[in-house]
Amino acid sequence: MARLGVNVDHVATVRQARRTVEPDPVAAAALAELAGADAIVCHLREDRRHIQDRDLTLLRQTVNTHLNLEMAATEEMLRIARQVHPDRATLVPERREEVTTEGGLEVALNPDAVGKAVQRLKEEGILVSLFIDAEPDQIRAAREVGGDLVELHTGPYAHAFGTPAELREFDRLMAGVRLGLELGLRVAAGHGLDYHNIKRLARVAEIEEFNIGHSIVARAIFVGIHQAVREMVELLRGGG
Ligand code: PXP
C-alpha cells in the first residue's frame, strides 16, 4: 500500500485568515499521524501566507513519522532547511501571484541551479524530492541533478478527471512513473488528489506515496481530521 503524506498548509490558511492561533497545523499534524498518516507535509512559502516559521520549528519537534518540507530552491529556504533539518525537502517552484503551486519545477532548463540546491540539501543528510511534471525531459533531468525521488504532478490528471481527457492524462502520468523507476528514482505523486480521483491511482503499485492536502483539510471541516485521514488511508488500501 502506498504511503499517505498529509499536507497541513490549509489548516494554517484558516488560521491566517484571522492572524490568530487557531486552528493549529501542528495539532492537525499530530491528529493526522494518529489517524494513520505516514508523513506530514508543509510548504513554507516566501510570503508566509499559511505555514509560519514557528509551525515548521514545532512540526520538526513533534512529527513522529516523516517531515517533508516543500520549499523553493532559494538561499533563505536552504538556510532554513539546514537549521530545521526536515527528513525530506521537496523542491517546488514558487510564484507570489499563484493561488497554489501551479506547475512542476523546471529542472531541465535549470540543471545547474537545481543541482546545487539538491547537493546542498543532500550534504545535510536530507532526502531530496523534486516536484515535476510527468514529462520525460524533467524526469531525466531530475535523475541527472541527483534527486532521490520525484513527486509527479497529478494536477493535469485531477483536472481532467471525469472528462474525456482523463485516460490520456492517466496514461501520461503512468509513462512518467515507469520512466522514473527505470532511471532508478523513487516515485511519489501529488496535487489536486481527492477521494474520487485517488481510486484509480491507488491501484498503481509503483507509486510509493501520495501527498494530499486540500481535499483532506476540506473534508476535515465537516467530519473531523481523524475521519478525513482514515477515509483516505482506506482508499489507498483499496477499500473505497
Ligand atoms: N504536492 C506538492 C508538491 C504540492 O505543492 C502540494 C500543494 O501544496 C500538494 C502535493 C498537495 O496538493 P493538494 O493541496 O491539491 O492536495
Side-chain angles (χ1 to χ4, degrees):
M1 175 190 143
R3 294 188 306 275
L4 173 63
V6 174
N7 181 314
V8 295
D9 290 352
H10 293 311
V11 177
T13 301
V14 176
R15 178 191 61 193
Q16 295 311 110
R18 286 293 175 94
R19 303 272 189 282
T20 176
V21 296
E22 62 179 7
D24 191 337
V26 180
L31 292 170
E33 285 189 320
L34 288 172
D38 300 291
I40 299 299
V41 189
C42 70
H43 184 177
L44 186 69
R45 295 184 72 105
E46 184 195 10
D47 63 10
R48 307 298 196 269
R49 70 173 68 159
H50 38 51
I51 294 292
Q52 306 296 305
D53 297 69
R54 162 268 184 208
D55 301 330
L56 181 60
T57 302
L58 289 177
L59 285 169
R60 175 62 298 180
Q61 290 170 15
T62 55
V63 165
N64 288 316
T65 53
H66 183 90
L67 180 62
N68 179 0
L69 172 64
E70 289 180 17
M71 53 177 266
T74 60
E75 269 311 314
E76 182 198 18
M77 290 301 151
L78 288 165
R79 181 176 49 72
I80 291 172
R82 199 174 66 220
Q83 283 164 3
V84 174
H85 212 279
D87 300 296
R88 184 191 317 180
T90 298
L91 294 178
V92 299
E94 199 171 296
R95 287 208 312 275
R96 263 177 187 269
E97 62 281 12
E98 68 194 356
V99 174
T100 179
T101 312
E102 279 165 4
L105 188 68
E106 179 50 72
V107 188
L109 292 180
N110 302 304
D112 293 345
V114 177
K116 278 192 189 118
V118 171
Q119 285 320 312
R120 281 174 63 181
L121 291 161
K122 287 178 85 163
E123 277 162 24
E124 298 293 328
I126 300 169
L127 203 64
V128 183
S129 177
L130 299 168
F131 177 62
I132 55 172
D133 292 328
E135 297 292 343
D137 285 1
Q138 302 296 346
I139 298 166
R140 288 196 189 94
R143 176 79 188 90
E144 274 156 31
V145 302
D148 300 298
L149 294 93
V150 283
E151 179 176 336
L152 297 181
H153 192 342
T154 47
Y157 160 74
H159 194 65
F161 189 73
T163 76
E166 176 184 335
L167 267 184
R168 193 181 65 221
E169 288 302 336
F170 177 75
D171 288 345
R172 209 159 66 82
L173 192 61
M174 287 309 99
V177 171
R178 284 192 295 273
L179 177 60
L181 291 174
E182 269 167 42
L183 295 174
L185 291 159
R186 296 168 54 189
V187 179
H191 210 283
L193 297 177
D194 63 24
Y195 294 81
H196 307 288
N197 63 29
I198 193 66
K199 291 178 191 169
R200 185 191 290 277
L201 292 185
R203 293 196 284 268
V204 180
E206 292 84 354
I207 302 178
E208 63 173 75
E209 179 188 271
F210 294 100
N211 292 311
I212 308 180
H214 183 265
S215 65
I216 291 178
V217 174
R219 182 165 295 214
I221 290 174
F222 299 112
V223 303
I225 192 149
H226 188 90
Q227 191 177 330
V229 172
R230 279 257 40 101
E231 285 179 31
M232 193 57 85
V233 168
E234 287 304 319
L235 291 174
L236 292 184
R237 281 200 183 130

